[in-house]
Amino acid sequence: MWKLKVADGDNNDPYIFSTNNFIGRQVWEFDPDYETREVQAEVEAARENFWENRHLIKCNSNLLCRMQLLREKNFKQTIPQVKVGDGEEITYEIAKTAMRRGAHFFSALQASDGHWPAEIAGPLYFLPPLVMCLYITGHLDTVFPAEYRREILRYLYCHQNEDGGWGFHIEEHSTMISTTLNYICMRILGEGPDGGRDNACARGRKWIRDRGGVTSIPSWGKTWLLIFGLFDWSRSNPMPPEFWLFPSFLPIHPGRFVGPITPLVLELREELFLQPYNEIIWKKVRHLCAKEDLYYPHPLIQDLMWDTLYICTEPLLTRWPFNKLRQKALEVTMKHIHYEDENSRYITIGCVEKSLCMLACWVENPNGDYFKKHLARIPDYIWVGEDGIKMQGFGSKSGTLLLPYKHF
């Protein structure tokens, strides 16, 4: 049974620290002995109800959190419900009673530290990069034991579209980037090529292959496939870290790092591409983007910039003496990453950056404190609902206090 812990932290832990005694922090932990069998049955009923209606109602109702908070406070609604018939006038007293009833219920959902626990999620490309990062670094089993894996898979099953793919977010049509990343996530978590509830893996793979395979995944997806060993760095559009030596609005590349080529990676190379992996001409797929992911066509100037970097700049910066500049740029890049990590207590500004910063720290030093501090903050991003485990967009909970406060 999952339990929400509020304002939980240990200032004596060398890898986690807070300036406000962890007020506003919300983390979930699994306790097999928590709550009665009746409560556990209620939770299972909520999960199955979501599954049965997943294509009609895409967003969960945060029921696990609500059930726990209302039980802990022994909440009883004492203000009677107001019903207004068709054509009936809504008087001041009716509106006031309805507002009081809502405020009474909502106040019961306030946590002991003063904030209202809630999820900030929905996009379906948040969680897979974290799973991929933990797989590469060898910490997947430690951070996500069996109970976590089960709930992550539940979330992926619940939000798979009827056509077999996954959208950029839970309400959207299927896209190549989300379908590919979530398919890889399921395979990492132990599902076979034809595994998963309701044939999730087979349906997802068919969606990908019916659209030409993953060579048409957009640039952000290509980045993670490069890191994971499913694309070839040498024939991909470069994003030189030398840009960090110039004005701060320019982009960054995480470096030509490739994770270990495991048997799973080799299997995915066969499953996700239409042609044999070793026969793919990578330079011809640099600009490809699936039509489902193309919200706006690449302007000519963008492709011209990519081609200039690919043909002219990158070959120089990877050779002596220009590789000295590359090394300097990578050092500056890591300084920026460490600054952001320390400034945000290793929560970082958001979940996309979290996985990349954590991976960069591991590449720099797999046994270093920077990486261990990142691991300690992963629970800040995890949320458990009746639809499973998802990764939240932000680790900050300021909004879940300010918005309810404003409404009150």
Side-chain angles (χ1 to χ4, degrees), residues 10-18 22 25 345-346 354 367-378 380:
D10 183 3
N11 279 312
N12 294 320
D13 186 338
Y15 301 123
I16 187 171
F17 53 97
S18 170
F22 299 100
R25 190 178 191 227
R345 316 295 186 265
Y346 288 82
K354 169 69 175 178
N367 299 311
D369 286 350
Y370 294 133
F371 176 64
K372 293 176 181 178
K373 289 178 181 179
H374 264 295
L375 288 176
R377 280 298 191 176
I378 290 177
D380 293 72

Side-chain angles (χ1 to χ4, degrees), residues 270-300:
E270 295 183 4
E271 296 168 17
L272 298 176
F273 298 94
L274 296 189
Q275 61 271 59
Y277 183 83
N278 294 329
E279 296 179 11
I280 297 173
I281 304 174
W282 295 104
K283 63 182 180 181
K284 291 187 177 181
V285 305
R286 289 187 298 118
H287 299 319
L288 290 185
C289 182
K291 62 182 179 63
E292 293 85 357
D293 299 61
L294 192 63
Y295 292 89
Y296 189 82
H298 288 181
L300 179 61

Side-chain angles (χ1 to χ4, degrees), residues 50-330:
F50 185 90
W51 169 259
E52 294 297 329
N53 297 280
R54 64 193 184 281
H55 296 309
L56 298 175
I57 303 175
K58 302 296 185 70
C59 186
N60 79 91
S61 299
N62 216 9
L63 290 181
L64 272 67
C65 174
R66 291 187 177 191
M67 289 177 180
Q68 177 180 328
L69 292 173
L70 295 178
R71 284 196 306 271
E72 290 176 349
K73 297 185 178 182
N74 196 26
F75 174 77
K76 303 293 182 183
Q77 181 60 270
T78 57
I79 301 175
Q81 183 179 8
V82 177
K83 295 184 179 180
V84 180
D86 292 339
E88 185 178 345
E89 180 184 359
I90 301 177
T91 65
Y92 172 80
E93 288 300 323
I94 289 176
K96 180 180 178 181
T97 301
M99 290 178 64
R100 287 181 58 244
R101 178 182 169 87
H104 179 52
F105 173 77
F106 201 56
S107 63
L109 301 178
Q110 187 177 21
S112 57
D113 64 349
H115 91 288
W116 276 264
E119 70 171 68
I120 307 173
L124 293 171
Y125 62 96
F126 284 174
L127 185 58
L130 176 63
V131 173
M132 295 166 75
C133 175
L134 293 172
Y135 177 82
I136 290 170
T137 61
H139 289 75
L140 181 64
D141 293 339
T142 303
V143 177
F144 290 148
E147 296 80 10
Y148 286 78
R149 295 185 184 211
R150 182 164 52 249
E151 292 305 315
I152 292 173
L153 287 170
R154 185 194 308 276
Y155 185 69
L156 302 187
Y157 302 153
C158 283
H159 294 290
Q160 186 175 22
N161 290 333
E162 292 181 86
D163 63 3
W166 284 265
F168 206 60
H169 53 78
I170 60 176
E171 295 280 357
E172 199 194 32
H173 66 269
S174 300
T175 61
M176 184 62 74
I177 182 172
S178 289
T179 302
T180 301
L181 293 180
N182 283 287
Y183 178 85
I184 294 172
C185 184
M186 289 192 298
R187 297 287 280 111
I188 291 173
L189 295 176
E191 293 291 9
D194 299 317
R197 188 172 185 178
D198 197 25
N199 298 315
C201 286
R203 293 168 57 224
R205 185 174 62 257
K206 183 178 185 302
W207 191 97
I208 294 169
R209 295 178 67 87
D210 284 350
R211 288 154 182 81
V214 297
T215 51
S216 60
I217 195 171
S219 58
W220 194 243
K222 283 184 171 70
T223 298
W224 274 105
L225 296 192
L226 286 163
I227 293 172
F228 205 67
L230 296 176
F231 263 57
D232 185 350
W233 276 112
S234 64
R235 296 294 184 266
S236 299
N237 286 329
M239 290 181 280
E242 285 77 15
F243 284 148
W244 274 106
L245 302 176
F246 293 93
S248 59
F249 59 83
L250 294 174
I252 175 180
H253 195 285
R256 286 187 173 185
F257 168 80
V258 180
I261 307 302
T262 64
L264 174 60
V265 174
L266 296 177
E267 290 176 14
L268 289 170
R269 286 180 176 181
E270 295 183 4
E271 296 168 17
L272 298 176
F273 298 94
L274 296 189
Q275 61 271 59
Y277 183 83
N278 294 329
E279 296 179 11
I280 297 173
I281 304 174
W282 295 104
K283 63 182 180 181
K284 291 187 177 181
V285 305
R286 289 187 298 118
H287 299 319
L288 290 185
C289 182
K291 62 182 179 63
E292 293 85 357
D293 299 61
L294 192 63
Y295 292 89
Y296 189 82
H298 288 181
L300 179 61
I301 186 65
Q302 180 180 348
D303 287 342
L304 181 61
M305 290 175 63
W306 283 128
D307 290 339
T308 301
L309 289 170
Y310 174 75
I311 297 171
C312 303
T313 307
E314 196 65 12
L316 288 175
L317 291 172
T318 55
R319 291 173 173 83
W320 189 89
F322 301 103
N323 57 6
K324 301 292 184 182
L325 182 63
R326 169 59 53 90
Q327 183 60 38
K328 174 64 175 177
L330 289 173

Side-chain angles (χ1 to χ4, degrees), residues 6-8 18 20-26 113-115 397 401:
V6 174
D8 180 71
S18 170
N20 69 347
N21 202 28
F22 299 100
I23 291 176
R25 190 178 191 227
Q26 49 185 41
D113 64 349
H115 91 288
K397 301 299 176 292
L401 171 61

